[in-house]
C-alpha cells in the first residue's frame, strides 16, 4: 500500500502495477486528462506536474517533474499537483498572463508549460526570491511547443514571474498538511500478477530487500529506467526504491571531500559541486531539462553505466570514489574501477551505490593551481544526450602541468580516462605544442564507434579539439575576467 495526496486530497493505493507511470494512472485510472502525453520519454514536457516532497522542517518542497517517466510508487508520502487543480477562481497569475499574452494556440503543450511556470512561480513567491530571464528559460527548457514560437510564452512568464510576482493563495493547495519525512513509513505495492514495488526507509531494510531479491531493479528518479517500460515496452517484475532512505539523501563535507548520497538529485548536488568546481554549472544546465534534474540522481547516472552519461567523466577527472553497500558490509571503490564493460559494473549481487565522494579543491599556500574543464557536445543545446563529453582536471605551477586527469564519455564502451594523453601532458608547459602531442596520443586511448549521434571520425576530432579548447579557455581567463563558457560555441 502507498499513501499520498492528489490535488489536496488523500489517496491510498492498495494494489497497482508498479510499472504504471504517474501520467498513465492520472489519465486512465483517475480520468484527469489535463496532463498530456507527448513523447513518453521525458523530452517534450507536455506531461509536467508538480510533486511536493516533505522536508525536515515539516514543509513541502515543490518541483516540476515529467509524469510520463515517474512511476506510481514514487508518489508515496508526497503531494501530486496537476493542471486539473487550477480550474477554479481565482486563476493562477501564470494562467492569467498566458491568456493576456496569447501564450496558447492548440493547447496540447500548454498544461505542461503552465505547470513548469507555476512551480517556478511558487519557488519565487514562497521563498521571496528574485527571478531573471536565465532562470525563467531554464524552467521552460524542458517544454516544447510547436505552435506559438515561444515569444508569447516567455512574455507571459516574464509578466507573472519576473515583473509582477503575485502571491496565489489557491485555497491552501500548496500548504496541504503532510506527515514529516522523518515519520514516513516503508511502503510496498503489488498487483494481481505479483509485480512489486518496495520503498524502504532505512539502510537495513534496503540491504535486506536486495539480499533476498538480488535481481530486483533499483529505482530512484527513474528518468532512465522508466524508458525501458515506456519505450522498450518491458515489464519489470520487482522495483526497489532508494529515494526515501535518509543516508542516500544526505550530503556531508569533510577533509576527505564532499560525500553525496546516491539518491541526491542532480539539482541538489549541482549547487554544491558548482560552488567548488564552477565548470559543473554550465554542464549541469544541459543535463536533461529542469524536470529531469529535479528527479534524476547521481547514483542512478553512475549505476546505469552508460558510456554517454554526463556525470561520470567529470567525476573520473576529479578521482572520485564511490561507497558500495550491502548486507555483507560496505566498501569504497575508485570510480574508475567501477566501470568494467558496456553496461557492466563492479557491483556484486545485493550491492548498491550508497554515496559518491568528490575531493575538495586543494587550497594551500603554494603557487599550484587546480582547474576543471567540462565540455559537452551534442546535437542541440538543451535537453540532449552527449555525443562526446570531455572533462579535464589540471594542477598547474604557473604554466607547467604538474598533474592531470583527462576523462571522456562517448569515446568507448565505458566512461574512460585518456591515460596516454595524460602522460603526454604531465610535466610540460600548457601550450599549443603540448596539446598537439596530447591529441596525437588520444589515438592510443580510444577507438570510438559510429552511431546515430556522431561518426567515429567526428568523435576523434572533437575529443582533440576539446583539449585545445581548454588551453584557449585557460589562456583567455589569464588575460580577461570573461572566460569562455561551454555554451559560447555550442
Amino acid at each position: 500500500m502507498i499513501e499520498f495526496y492528489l490535488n489536496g486530497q488523500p489517496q491510498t493505493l492498495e494494489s497497482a502495477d508498479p510499472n504504471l507511470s504517474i501520467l498513465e494512472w492520472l489519465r486512465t485510472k483517475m480520468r484527469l486528462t489535463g496532463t498530456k502525453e507527448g513523447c513518453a520519454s521525458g523530452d517534450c514536457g507536455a506531461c509536467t506536474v508538480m510533486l511536493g516532497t516533505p522536508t525536515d522542517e515539516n514543509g513541502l518542497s515543490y518541483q516540476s517533474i515529467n509524469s510520463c517517466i515517474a512511476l506510481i510508487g514514487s508518489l508515496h508520502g508526497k503531494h501530486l499537483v496537476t493542471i486539473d487543480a487550477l480550474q477554479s477562481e481565482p486563476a493562477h497569475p501564470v494562467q492569467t498572463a498566458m491568456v493576456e499574452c496569447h501564450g496558447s494556440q492548440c493547447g496540447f503543450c500548454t498544461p505542461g508549460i503552465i505547470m513548469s511556470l507555476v512551480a517556478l512561480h511558487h519557488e519565487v513567491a514562497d521563498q521571496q526570491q528574485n527571478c531573471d530571464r536565465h532562470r525563467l528559460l531554464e524552467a521552460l527548457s524542458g517544454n516544447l511547443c510547436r505552435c506559438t514560437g515561444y515569444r508569447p510564452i516567455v512574455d507571459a512568464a516574464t509578466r507573472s514571474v519576473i515583473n509582477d510576482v503575485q502571491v496565489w493563495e489557491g485555497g491552501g493547495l500548496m500548504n496541504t498538511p503532510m506527515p514529516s519525512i522523518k515519520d514516513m513509513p516503508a511502503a510496498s505495492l503489488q498487483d494481481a500478477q505479483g509485480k512489486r514495488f518496495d520503498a524502504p526507509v532505512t539502510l537495513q531494510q534496503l540491504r535486506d530487500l536486495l539480499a533476498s531479491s538480488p535481481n530486483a531493479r533499483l529505482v530512484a528518479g527513474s528518468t532512465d529506467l522508466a524508458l525501458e517500460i515506456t519505450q522498450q515496452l518491458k515489464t519489470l517484475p520487482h522495483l526497489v526504491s532508494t529515494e526515501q532512505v535518509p543516508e542516500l539523501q544526505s550530503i556531508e563535507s569533510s577533509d576527505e571531500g564532499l560525500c553525496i548520497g546516491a539518491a541526491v538529485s542532480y539539482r541538489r548536488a549541482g549547487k554544491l559541486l558548482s560552488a567548488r568546481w564552477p565548470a559543473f554549472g554550465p554542464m549541469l544546465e544541459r543535463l536533461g531539462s529542469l524536470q529531469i534534474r529535479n528527479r534524476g540522481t547521481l547514483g542512478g547516472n553512475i549505476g546505469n553505466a552508460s558510456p554517454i552519461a554526463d556525470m561520470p567523466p567529470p567525476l573520473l577527472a576529479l578521482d572520485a570514489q564511490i561507497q558500495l553497500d550491502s548486507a555483507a558490509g560496505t566498501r569504497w571503490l575508485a570510480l574508475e574501477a567501477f566501470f568494467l564493460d558496456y553496461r557492466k559494473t563492479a557491483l556484486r549481487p545485493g550491492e548498491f551505490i550508497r554515496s559518491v565522494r568528490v575531493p575538495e579543491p586543494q587550497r594551500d599556500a603554494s603557487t599550484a593551481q587546480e582547474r576543471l574543464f567540462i565540455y559537452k557536445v551534442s546535437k542541440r543545446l538543451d535537453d540532449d544526450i552527449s555525443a562526446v563529453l570531455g572533462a579535464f582536471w589540471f594542477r598547474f605551477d604557473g604554466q607547467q602541468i604538474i598533474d592531470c586527469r583527462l576523462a571522456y564519455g562517448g569515446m568507448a564502451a565505458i566512461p574512460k580516462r585518456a591515460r596516454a594523453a595524460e602522460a603526454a601532458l604531465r610535466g610540460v608547459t600548457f601550450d599549443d605544442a603540448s596539446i598537439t602531442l596530447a591529441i596525437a596520443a588520444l589515438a592510443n586511448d580510444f577507438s570510438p564507434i559510429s552511431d546515430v549521434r556522431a561518426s567515429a571520425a567526428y568523435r576523434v576530432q572533437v575529443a582533440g579539439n576539446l583539449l585545445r579548447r581548454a588551453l584557449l579557455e585557460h589562456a583567455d581567463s589569464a588575460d580577461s575576467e570573461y572566460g569562455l563558457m561551454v555554451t559560447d560555441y555550442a
Side-chain angles (χ1 to χ4, degrees), residues 22-88:
I22 293 174
L23 174 65
E24 189 175 356
W25 177 77
L26 285 170
R27 294 182 61 85
T28 63
K29 307 299 183 182
M30 301 304 290
R31 298 299 176 184
L32 295 176
T33 55
T35 308
K36 309 301 183 187
E37 178 176 286
C39 65
S41 59
D43 285 330
C44 75
C47 69
T48 302
V49 295
M50 289 171 59
L51 196 60
T53 302
T55 65
D56 289 334
E57 294 76 29
N58 296 327
L60 284 169
S61 172
Y62 286 95
Q63 293 182 325
S64 59
I65 69 165
N66 297 117
S67 62
C68 71
I69 53 171
L71 302 179
I72 189 70
S74 64
L75 291 178
H76 180 61
K78 299 176 183 176
H79 184 202
L80 175 64
V81 179
T82 74
I83 190 71
D84 310 275
L86 307 181
Q87 296 186 53
S88 57

Side-chain angles (χ1 to χ4, degrees), residues 211-222:
S212 61
S213 303
N215 293 323
R217 298 291 298 275
L218 285 174
V219 55
S222 72

Side-chain angles (χ1 to χ4, degrees), residues 118-132:
V118 168
L120 176 62
H121 181 278
H122 181 71
E123 283 188 17
V124 172
D126 185 60
Q127 301 174 29
Q128 297 183 334
Q129 300 175 353
N130 291 322
C131 183
D132 56 18

Side-chain angles (χ1 to χ4, degrees), residues 273-289:
L273 289 170
S274 299
R276 291 160 170 78
W277 303 97
F280 271 104
M283 186 277 283
L284 282 167
E285 286 189 4
R286 298 182 58 199
L287 197 164
S289 61

Side-chain angles (χ1 to χ4, degrees), residues 105-164:
Q105 287 190 31
C106 82
F108 189 90
C109 65
T110 304
I113 291 169
I114 293 288
M115 295 310 294
S116 288
L117 292 177
V118 168
L120 176 62
H121 181 278
H122 181 71
E123 283 188 17
V124 172
D126 185 60
Q127 301 174 29
Q128 297 183 334
Q129 300 175 353
N130 291 322
C131 183
D132 56 18
R133 182 178 174 86
H134 178 86
R135 186 174 175 188
L136 186 155
L137 294 179
E138 180 189 25
L140 287 171
S141 64
N143 293 88
L144 300 180
C145 179
R146 294 165 178 84
C147 299
T148 65
Y150 300 103
R151 184 193 58 77
I153 297 171
V154 174
D155 288 346
T158 302
R159 177 178 297 186
S160 59
V161 185
I162 297 179
N163 294 344
D164 183 18

Side-chain angles (χ1 to χ4, degrees), residues 451-473:
D451 60 21
V452 295
R453 293 184 183 88
S455 68
Y458 177 83
R459 285 188 161 105
V460 168
Q461 182 168 344
V462 165
N465 288 348
L466 294 183
L467 279 175
R468 197 174 301 280
R469 183 169 178 170
L471 171 65
L472 294 172
E473 181 176 344

Side-chain angles (χ1 to χ4, degrees), residues 384-399:
D384 200 6
I385 295 171
S386 298
V388 177
L389 192 145
F392 317 131
W393 171 84
F394 289 94
R395 187 166 177 81
F396 297 105
D397 186 355
Q399 293 302 310

